[in-house]
Amino acid sequence: AVNPPWTSGDGRDQYFDGKADLFAEVRRAVKGELAALLGPWRPARTRPAFWTQLRRESARLRQHLATHSDDLRVLALTDGPADAAPFDAWVEALIDNGVALEVVRSDVARPLLCAATRALFSAFDARALTALQANAAANESEEEEQSWKLLAGCGRLPPFGEV
C-alpha cells in the first residue's frame, strides 16, 4: 500500500509511515513557527531587564497560544517529549546572557545549564498548556508566579552546605 502524500508549502510531497509520523511533522512545524515568533534572544543589559524580557517573551507565546487554538491543540496532544530543537539557540543565548549578568550560576557546565533550563521550560509549558486548554485564568497567575519563583531560585544559589 502506498501512503498518501502530504504536500508541504514548498511543493514537495512528503510521505509518512502513519498518523504518528504525520502528527510529529505537524508538531515540529508549529514549534518552528513559535520559535520564529519568539525570535532570537536579545541580550539584556541589566538584571531587571533580563527578567522583564523573559517574562515578556513568555507572555507573548502564551497570548499567541490563547488566540490560536489550533496551535494549542497540536502542542497539547502529544505522547512523547517535546521537541525543543527549534528553541536550542534561544535557550543557549538566554543562559549566556544570564551568566554574564550573574543571574544564572557560572559554576555549572553550560550544557547542563541549558539542558536543565529546557527541562524546566518544558515542565512550565506543560502546565501552561493544561491551564490554557481549561481556560483556567483564575489560577493562571498563581501557577505562573510559582514557575517564576522556581526559575529564579535555580539561578545564583550557593553550593549545598554553604550558607
Side-chain angles (χ1 to χ4, degrees):
V2 176
N3 292 327
W6 176 63
T7 303
S8 63
D10 62 5
R12 293 180 297 130
D13 287 342
Q14 297 178 336
Y15 292 87
F16 300 95
D17 290 331
K19 289 181 186 179
D21 287 345
L22 173 61
F23 183 75
E25 182 60 32
V26 171
R27 192 163 198 278
R28 270 191 293 280
V30 169
K31 285 222 146 201
E33 290 171 13
L34 291 175
L37 173 72
L38 195 58
W41 174 263
R42 291 167 302 285
R45 294 177 186 221
T46 66
R47 292 174 184 176
F50 177 89
W51 291 110
T52 298
Q53 179 175 329
L54 186 55
R55 283 181 179 258
R56 185 179 57 241
E57 298 300 342
S58 174
R60 190 158 51 119
L61 286 177
R62 204 171 43 257
Q63 178 62 33
H64 173 85
L65 290 174
T67 58
H68 293 82
S69 60
D70 289 345
D71 288 352
L72 177 61
R73 280 192 299 275
V74 166
L75 293 177
L77 295 172
T78 184
D79 293 330
D83 176 21
F87 301 99
D88 283 349
W90 191 90
V91 169
E92 291 166 1
L94 168 86
I95 292 298
D96 291 344
N97 188 209
V99 167
L101 293 172
E102 297 181 342
V103 296
V104 173
R105 55 190 311 149
S106 60
D107 62 334
V108 175
R110 182 178 183 262
L112 181 57
L113 283 171
C114 291
T117 301
R118 281 191 294 274
L120 277 174
F121 284 172
S122 181
F124 299 158
D125 290 349
R127 293 176 68 106
L129 287 171
T130 300
L132 281 169
Q133 281 186 291
N135 286 328
N139 286 336
E140 187 176 316
S141 62
E142 184 177 326
E143 279 281 326
E144 185 180 352
E145 208 47 47
Q146 292 294 312
S147 296
W148 288 113
K149 285 180 183 179
L150 178 60
L151 186 61
C154 291
R156 297 289 306 158
L157 297 176
F160 291 113
E162 293 183 18
V163 181

